[in-house]
Amino acid sequence: MDPSPTPLDLLIDLLSIVCILAGCLMSLAAAIGLLRFPDLLSRMHAATKPQVLGLLLLLTAVGLQLRSWAVVPVLLVAWIFQLLTVPVAAHMVGRAGYRTRHVHRELLTVDELDEVVQSAARGETPDGRPE
Amino acid sequence: MIRKRISLRQELPLLVWLVVVWAALWQDFSPGNLLFGALIAVVVARVFYLPPVELSGRFSLPQALLFAAIFLWDVLLASFQVFGRAVFSGPRVRNAIVAVPLRSHSDLMVTATGHVLSLVPGSLVVEVDRSTSTLYVHALHVATPADVQRIRRDVRRTEAWLIRVMGSKTELAALRGESVKGTEP
Amino acid sequence: MTGAHAVLVAVGVILTLAAGGTIYRIAVGPSLLDRVLAADVLLAVLGAALATEMAVNRHLDNLVLLIAVSVIGFIGSVAVARFVSDRRG
């Protein structure tokens, strides 16, 4: 598009291609995790987290291609919105999943929350963790 | 409805953030736009009233930048780890829910620690006990007790970073005392 | 520009595979929360496509749409999670 692409332009283009491909791969990683992990909570790890990095890479590519510092704050704000919302959604879904017995207990090596829930159910003090 | 008056100093971070968002969305950081944004921010903060977030009044910018860099590196590393785990371990993955008692009892620190943990792949906060400020962290691929110890250490390390960035002076002093004392997990 | 073209084809293939995987998970379930999670990822795949289009054609028009899509995913997940916990206690 440019009349004479300088080496710098080529470098920027190359960087943004890498960012785009890596960002899209993160989406694929989420999908593979969704398909391959056995229970809800491990799927959540795969589903929500790679998106954080994926969106960062894609927005970096947008910023690189626009070649302007003025757009950096908007892109940063878009990313920070994602940073603020993703953990909240993940926590809500994870908590609902744990409370409604969606967790496959045989897949957990340690479950220290279960001990607390059991002792609370027996009517012991809520803050006294067993042992 | 009785509203507790909040000082401008307490409200200032929120207002500044709102103005930055406003200017960023317009892509216009000229003084006029900033002034208009500040006006809107004050109106929004007055009309849509929320309980004030109790900040400690301390914020270390160098530590914050350092923490941001470490955070990004952790996210990068862990994203690929989870990717690899999804492709290679898949259905055979074993997890754990680990109880991690935190040092700080302020709501802000507990929330921030949980938030950062949830953003870094491989850990997820399932439940929070506010009275004892204990986080129940679900972690991917935990097979041995050593892994459990590693998770607990990582969580406490994250909290230590956040205390260094914006913890209160007493929390910071406690952290210092702890690291002088030596090998606290 | 065959190089840029190849990149676009690769992005198309990757995102199609990702979308296919998430749609399969939405169809199979097994639980409501799994489906919500997969729907959230599907929205993220859509977001990735929007961002790629912005980078390739050098504009910012989709950014608002991108934020709207992620906010919809957030509100949807939280609403369904609350609904699920309320219903079963």
Side-chain angles (χ1 to χ4, degrees), chain A residues 62-78:
Chain A
V62 174
L64 284 173
Q65 282 300 307
L66 285 167
R67 289 177 175 71
S68 133
W69 287 106
V71 300
V72 173
V74 206
L75 298 176
L76 211 58
V77 163

Side-chain angles (χ1 to χ4, degrees), chain B residues 88-155:
Chain B
F88 298 113
S89 311
R92 295 187 310 280
V93 74
R94 287 293 174 274
N95 310 315
I97 294 181
V98 184
V100 188
L102 297 179
R103 304 174 181 88
S104 171
H105 280 262
S106 89
D107 285 343
L108 179 68
M109 292 311 288
V110 174
T111 311
T113 311
H115 220 89
V116 170
L117 284 178
S118 294
L119 280 172
V120 174
S123 56
L124 175 79
V125 177
V126 179
E127 196 74 65
V128 183
D129 186 347
R130 202 176 149 205
S131 61
T132 57
S133 77
T134 303
L135 294 180
Y136 294 92
V137 179
H138 181 271
L140 205 61
H141 189 69
V142 175
T144 61
D147 289 336
V148 175
Q149 286 304 322
R150 178 175 50 85
I151 305 275
R152 213 167 264 144
R153 205 176 51 234
D154 284 354
V155 172

Side-chain angles (χ1 to χ4, degrees), chain A residues 112 115-116 119 125-131, chain B residues 99-101 132 134 136 152:
Chain A
E112 291 175 344
E115 294 159 14
V116 180
S119 77
T125 50
D127 58 335
R129 287 211 348 260
E131 273 89 62
Chain B
V100 188
T132 57
T134 303
Y136 294 92
R152 213 167 264 144

Side-chain angles (χ1 to χ4, degrees), chain A residues 34-35 40 43 51 65 102, chain C residues 25 31 34 44 55 58 63:
Chain A
L34 273 184
L35 290 179
L40 177 73
R43 275 178 210 142
Q51 311 295 343
Q65 282 300 307
H102 276 100
Chain C
R25 182 50 76 194
S31 73
D34 284 303
R58 297 183 182 176
L63 198 65

Side-chain angles (χ1 to χ4, degrees), chain B residues 64-76:
Chain B
L65 291 177
L66 206 58
F67 177 63
I70 288 175
F71 168 72
L72 277 180
W73 175 247
D74 279 353
V75 167
L76 191 72

Side-chain angles (χ1 to χ4, degrees), chain B residues 26-47:
Chain B
W26 280 105
Q27 296 170 48
D28 176 9
F29 279 83
S30 65
N33 198 33
L34 286 180
L35 197 67
F36 191 56
L39 202 69
I40 289 180
V42 169
V43 170
V44 165
R46 283 276 172 274
V47 174

